[in-house]
Amino acid sequence: MKEWLREDYNAQITKKRRLNPEQERQEVHRKIKGFFSQFSAGSDFQSVRNKLMRYGSVSGHMLMNMENPNYLNGMAKLVPEGYRTSQAKLDFLLNYRIEVQKLSNTIEMLYSENFLALTTATRHLADCFSIVEVFETPSERKVIADDIIPLFEITVQNMLVPRLIKLIQYNDLPEMQVQALRVLTYFSPGPRIASSPVESPIHPSNMFFKRMVITEGAVPILFQLLESDNVSIKEYSCVLIGTLASHNPECRDFILNSGGLPLILANLNES
């Protein structure tokens, strides 16, 4: 995938692309399919991790036109307003590439029962997933697709979604609950990469990632969390419910038919 991203970039700075929209969709589908074929169902996590250990550069030329001068060090939060300039985004990406190398340890910690380890691991995973918020448009995410797609692949292959849904029920660890909710909120819409073909599992219309969260039983648990005494847990639960319901009538109707509207309205009235 790194090669085709470089090819696309070179093409853009030498001439306009001559493919029509349908040809471009087919080409992106071919490339994404080729990338996913690197990961067999039985592959071990170390082999996946090795594929992530890259330090290639992304040209600032493709990340320009952001005017906000604010700059923050470290990983982003849920609304990373400091990551608006191209330099800030590039710095984040370099840090991200270091942090994803630690995911094997993070995953081990997620399956532990040590409270400190659980809180640390969920925060680290949430901060890694915030890359989809820092690179906020589908076009930006297309440029770094080979960084983003493996993160979703790792999450699916290591069955982290059911584990995270279990963790949001640990009422004695509110900070950990919030971080787990952050991960699920970033994960649910998928990577949202520009020009993803409709037939691809990563296209938002296929709801691959939303379905995974919903079928693992997240919705009734989120309704319970809306009645939490912790304001942050209630707010993040509302955000996740909204993410699951957005842009898809089927998911929206499922949530409404599950009896969640009164709880959602009650929380809105409180705020």
Side-chain angles (χ1 to χ4, degrees):
M1 181 170 281
K2 194 170 185 178
E3 291 182 2
W4 70 260
L5 286 172
R6 187 180 297 111
E7 290 171 2
D8 278 357
Y9 172 62
N10 291 334
Q12 288 179 32
I13 62 176
T14 55
K15 63 180 179 179
K16 292 183 178 179
R17 300 193 65 173
R18 298 178 180 175
L19 295 177
N20 63 39
E22 181 59 31
Q23 288 175 318
E24 184 172 359
R25 281 193 294 270
Q26 292 177 358
E27 178 69 6
V28 172
H29 178 60
R30 179 186 67 78
K31 293 167 182 176
I32 291 176
K33 183 177 180 181
F35 179 76
F36 272 125
S37 68
Q38 299 177 72
F39 303 95
S40 62
S43 63
D44 64 318
F45 178 72
Q46 185 60 41
S47 66
V48 177
R49 182 170 178 240
N50 290 337
K51 294 177 187 294
L52 287 170
M53 296 175 66
R54 294 187 277 265
Y55 286 91
S57 62
V58 175
S59 173
H61 170 77
M62 306 192 71
L63 303 175
M64 297 296 289
N65 302 320
M66 294 295 180
E67 301 297 332
N68 191 327
N70 294 330
Y71 178 85
L72 298 177
N73 291 315
M75 306 298 277
K77 303 307 177 186
L78 187 61
V79 184
E81 295 179 354
Y83 291 94
R84 299 296 185 184
T85 67
S86 59
Q87 184 60 53
K89 290 172 184 278
L90 288 169
D91 289 346
F92 179 95
L93 182 59
L94 291 176
N95 190 29
Y96 169 86
R97 288 173 172 171
I98 295 172
E99 294 301 318
V100 294
Q101 296 180 47
K102 305 173 185 177
L103 283 177
S104 57
N105 291 332
T106 296
I107 291 171
E108 289 181 12
M109 292 164 68
L110 282 173
Y111 281 97
S112 75
E113 291 299 329
N114 180 284
F115 288 177
L116 178 60
L118 288 172
T119 301
T120 302
T122 50
R123 183 185 298 113
H124 182 251
L125 187 59
D127 286 344
C128 286
F129 261 104
S130 68
I131 191 171
V132 300
E133 193 80 8
V134 173
F135 294 85
E136 55 193 339
T137 69
S139 296
E140 286 183 333
R141 290 191 289 272
K142 180 181 178 181
V143 176
I144 58 166
D146 60 342
D147 289 290
I148 293 177
I149 291 176
L151 181 60
F152 284 81
E153 183 80 2
I154 288 168
T155 302
V156 172
Q157 287 191 344
N158 287 276
M159 301 181 66
L160 297 186
V161 172
R163 179 58 177 168
L164 289 164
I165 291 173
K166 181 178 180 180
L167 293 179
I168 63 175
Q169 300 175 69
Y170 282 36
N171 295 324
D172 293 335
L173 297 173
E175 172 61 21
M176 187 271 296
Q177 286 178 289
V178 166
Q179 299 304 326
L181 288 166
R182 281 183 66 207
V183 177
L184 293 170
T185 300
Y186 286 132
F187 175 84
S188 296
R192 294 165 291 164
I193 295 170
S195 302
S196 298
V198 175
E199 63 270 24
S200 168
I202 70 172
H203 193 280
S205 66
N206 292 319
M207 301 186 303
F208 177 82
F209 303 98
K210 285 187 179 182
R211 287 181 186 276
M212 184 175 298
V213 174
I214 290 173
T215 56
E216 290 293 341
V219 172
I221 297 169
L222 292 173
F223 290 163
Q224 295 175 16
L225 294 178
L226 289 177
E227 300 182 285
S228 170
D229 294 330
N230 186 295
V231 174
S232 294
I233 290 174
K234 293 169 72 170
E235 290 178 349
Y236 279 84
S237 297
C238 274
V239 171
L240 179 50
I241 291 171
T243 301
L244 293 172
S246 64
H247 306 297
N248 191 276
E250 182 181 341
C251 291
R252 178 201 63 202
D253 292 345
F254 176 83
I255 290 172
L256 292 176
N257 292 333
S258 298
L261 184 58
L263 288 169
I264 296 171
L265 292 176
N267 276 272
L268 292 175
N269 290 333
E270 287 181 7
S271 59

